[in-house]
Amino acid sequence: MKECLSNKDKEIHCCTTYQIMNKIVHILAKYSYEKLMKIAIFPGSFDPITIGHIDLIERTIPLFDKVIISIGQNSQKKYLFTLKQRQKWLNKIAAKHKTVEVDTYKGLTVNFAKKKKAKYLIRGLRNASDFDYEKTISQLNNIIGEGLETIFFIAQPGYSHISSTIVREIIKGKGDVSSFVPDLIYKDIKSKYYK
């Protein structure tokens, strides 16, 4: 009888040890994967999101394990669309892609990148003046962000003339922006601004 109990105890002990070891392996594997993950943030105000932004997001997805569309909040800036509205639009767009998520942040982009363990920052370039501005910012981000790399995407020729600033002005003047923004956004804009 004692021998049977002893064997049973050994089985329980072995089973428990195996489960513990298995858990440790899974935790270590997850930790290693997260450390090796290529995470990129795509910061902006997205006021509103344009088809140029969508193009950048879609071109970024194959290159990274995770892309975080990051809405920066600046108390000094006046927005046409509320943060809630912009988040809603971006969440609908992100829902189509498993590796894309949406988040908001205040303060320096480099601090947000650290918090999210992102080593890459995505920026779009439409023209030479964009490059001059973004080059300086990327160099500063690299120093402050301890190696944060900025990846530049040249705008496709069909989108290089589109900017959120111009689209906002057209909306304010009740002009047609259907060629510049995704359909789902245009429907919302039309119902609110084109009455």
Side-chain angles (χ1 to χ4, degrees):
M1 184 74 176
K2 278 184 182 178
E3 201 178 321
C4 282
L5 285 171
S6 174
N7 286 340
K8 196 171 183 182
D9 285 344
K10 281 179 187 174
E11 269 180 47
I12 291 166
H13 177 72
C14 286
C15 185
T16 307
T17 305
Y18 172 76
Q19 287 172 335
I20 291 167
M21 291 301 289
N22 200 23
K23 244 182 188 164
I24 290 167
V25 167
H26 277 88
I27 290 165
L28 287 172
K30 188 181 175 190
Y31 175 75
S32 298
Y33 176 70
E34 283 175 356
K35 274 198 95 171
L36 293 170
M37 271 183 89
K38 287 188 291 182
I39 303 171
I41 61 168
F42 179 23
S45 59
F46 305 103
D47 185 35
I49 189 163
T50 68
I51 54 173
H53 292 132
I54 301 293
D55 179 62
L56 283 184
I57 292 163
E58 288 174 352
R59 288 163 64 193
T60 302
I61 291 167
L63 305 176
F64 298 97
D65 298 306
K66 186 194 284 186
V67 177
I68 305 168
I69 305 170
S70 316
I71 310 170
Q73 298 177 69
N74 184 344
S75 56
Q76 305 300 311
K77 199 171 177 183
K78 194 173 179 181
Y79 298 103
L80 183 61
F81 299 100
T82 65
L83 176 64
K84 190 177 177 182
Q85 180 64 76
R86 288 175 282 148
Q87 265 185 297
K88 183 183 163 188
W89 285 333
L90 287 167
N91 280 323
K92 282 183 181 177
I93 288 153
K96 299 172 188 174
H97 310 284
K98 287 180 184 177
T99 59
V100 178
E101 63 183 58
V102 178
D103 207 341
T104 64
Y105 71 98
K106 288 179 181 175
L108 293 176
T109 304
V110 291
N111 292 339
F112 178 72
K114 278 181 200 173
K115 182 183 166 189
K116 291 294 179 177
K117 297 181 175 71
K119 299 286 182 197
Y120 306 94
L121 197 143
I122 304 303
R123 298 304 291 158
L125 300 176
R126 290 164 301 175
N127 49 45
S129 55
D130 273 1
F131 176 73
D132 288 338
Y133 173 77
E134 293 291 350
K135 180 184 75 169
T136 305
I137 299 295
S138 73
Q139 288 166 339
L140 292 169
N141 282 340
N142 187 264
I143 295 163
I144 302 166
E146 298 166 10
L148 179 68
E149 291 291 349
T150 303
I151 311 296
F152 293 118
F153 283 80
I154 306 297
Q156 304 275 23
Y159 304 131
S160 61
H161 60 289
I162 302 169
S163 75
S164 290
T165 306
I166 290 168
V167 173
R168 276 197 307 275
E169 290 308 310
I170 296 170
I171 292 167
K172 287 176 189 175
K174 299 192 184 298
D176 182 8
V177 293
S178 59
S179 303
F180 311 126
V181 298
D183 288 341
L184 70 97
I185 293 170
Y186 180 65
K187 284 172 189 170
D188 286 350
I189 291 170
K190 194 176 177 184
S191 65
K192 185 175 178 182
Y193 286 89
Y194 302 150
K195 290 178 180 176

